Amino acid sequence: AQSVTQLGSHVSVSEGALVLLRCNYSSSVPPYLFWYVQYPNQGLQLLLKYTSAATLVKGINGFEAEFKKSETSFHLTKPSAHMSDAAEYFCAVSDAYNTDKLIFGTGTRLQVFP
Amino acid sequence: GAVVSQHPSWVICKSGTSVKIECRSLDFQATTMFWYRQFPKQSLMLMATSNEGSKATYEQGVEKDKFLINHASLTLSTLTVTSAHPEDSSFYICSARDLSHSNQPQHFGDGTRLSIL
């Protein structure tokens, strides 16, 4: 069975500050890991994904995440927050052998203050 | 890039009516599409996997007769909420995978907000 835990349902940062959104996973098989962003009343947009290649993954909009097997973590970071980064962020895991089934975390709402 | 279109984006209807939501892959073919449900301020929960030309696979706890899925072509899947009631009000999101790129992740539609009065 697989699961994802996102620590912190809400994260607030000032514009220009570091963004850190936490994600820990549980998987009995090699995982694929994803970060998605959701703006109000919209679907999900893929930010980045880990598929067993490089452990440091760079995505769109300046985001990156590092896969740490020893810590079962896949935290999302961005060096400098923009106002436009305010949104809901979801971490998701899938089985490397069955990438169709995505298991989502409960989401983290990021607020960016001027 | 790949685009998935959902229609309608918002629907309000009376209790007891049936509502059909369409999910289209605009520039790629998808033998498999996925339907998710999202309650306010919560995560997405997979409801069912829609398979072109065959029956959908429903997740545990999802009523097959309540949520009818039809995947008649490689670019269209529909979800029909039958005899909708207020508790069916939710945000429904579909996704699809590009057949020609097996290692690519799912592409999501913009969702349909369903409100049952």
Side-chain angles (χ1 to χ4, degrees):
Chain A
Q2 296 177 302
S3 66
V4 170
T5 301
Q6 289 184 243
L7 296 175
S9 58
H10 288 82
V11 171
S12 297
V13 300
S14 299
E15 192 173 20
L18 171 71
V19 175
L20 171 61
L21 304 182
R22 299 178 185 276
C23 172
N24 287 89
Y25 70 92
S26 173
S27 179
S28 57
V29 298
Y32 281 5
L33 293 156
F34 307 82
W35 274 100
Y36 287 89
V37 61
Q38 183 182 34
Y39 297 99
N41 294 313
Q42 293 187 26
L44 274 66
Q45 180 182 4
L46 180 68
L47 282 176
L48 49 80
K49 64 182 188 292
Y50 165 78
T51 56
S52 74
T55 56
L56 181 62
V57 181
K58 294 187 183 298
I60 62 172
N61 301 339
F63 285 94
E64 63 180 39
E66 186 172 8
F67 172 71
K68 292 187 177 180
K69 185 177 180 180
S70 61
E71 299 177 8
T72 61
S73 69
F74 190 57
H75 301 329
L76 181 70
T77 61
K78 181 173 180 177
S80 176
H82 292 172
M83 296 296 291
S84 59
D85 294 326
E88 188 88 21
Y89 291 81
F90 292 96
C91 182
V93 63
S94 74
D95 184 337
Y97 307 116
N98 177 13
T99 56
D100 281 348
K101 192 160 185 175
L102 285 172
I103 306 297
F104 286 88
T106 51
T108 298
R109 181 166 298 278
L110 175 66
Q111 287 185 306
V112 182
F113 294 102
Chain B
V3 177
V4 173
S5 173
Q6 262 185 262
H7 178 80
S9 57
W10 203 319
V11 58
I12 302 173
C13 60
K14 293 181 179 180
S15 183
T17 58
S18 293
V19 179
K20 180 185 284 188
I21 302 170
E22 294 186 347
C23 179
R24 294 180 184 273
S25 56
L26 296 184
D27 54 358
F28 65 98
Q29 293 184 327
T31 53
T32 304
M33 292 184 175
F34 307 90
W35 287 97
Y36 295 85
R37 184 173 182 176
Q38 185 180 29
F39 290 103
K41 299 183 179 180
Q42 293 189 28
S43 188
L44 281 75
M45 299 297 294
L46 180 64
M47 298 175 63
T49 302
S50 171
N51 304 298
E52 188 267 337
S54 64
K55 291 183 179 180
T57 304
Y58 290 82
E59 296 299 305
Q60 190 173 7
V62 178
E63 298 177 60
K64 300 178 183 181
D65 296 332
K66 177 75 171 176
F67 300 99
L68 300 179
I69 291 173
N70 183 276
H71 194 154
S73 77
L74 287 173
T75 60
L76 174 64
S77 174
T78 61
L79 168 68
T80 300
V81 183
T82 62
S83 187
H85 291 285
E87 58 266 28
D88 299 322
S89 299
S90 190
F91 194 54
Y92 293 87
I93 305 176
C94 73
S95 70
R97 187 187 305 284
D98 188 342
L99 259 183
S100 61
H101 296 87
S102 59
N103 290 327
Q104 291 299 310
Q106 299 172 26
H107 300 283
F108 286 82
D110 278 344
T112 297
R113 184 161 300 283
L114 175 61
S115 296
I116 309 298
L117 305 177

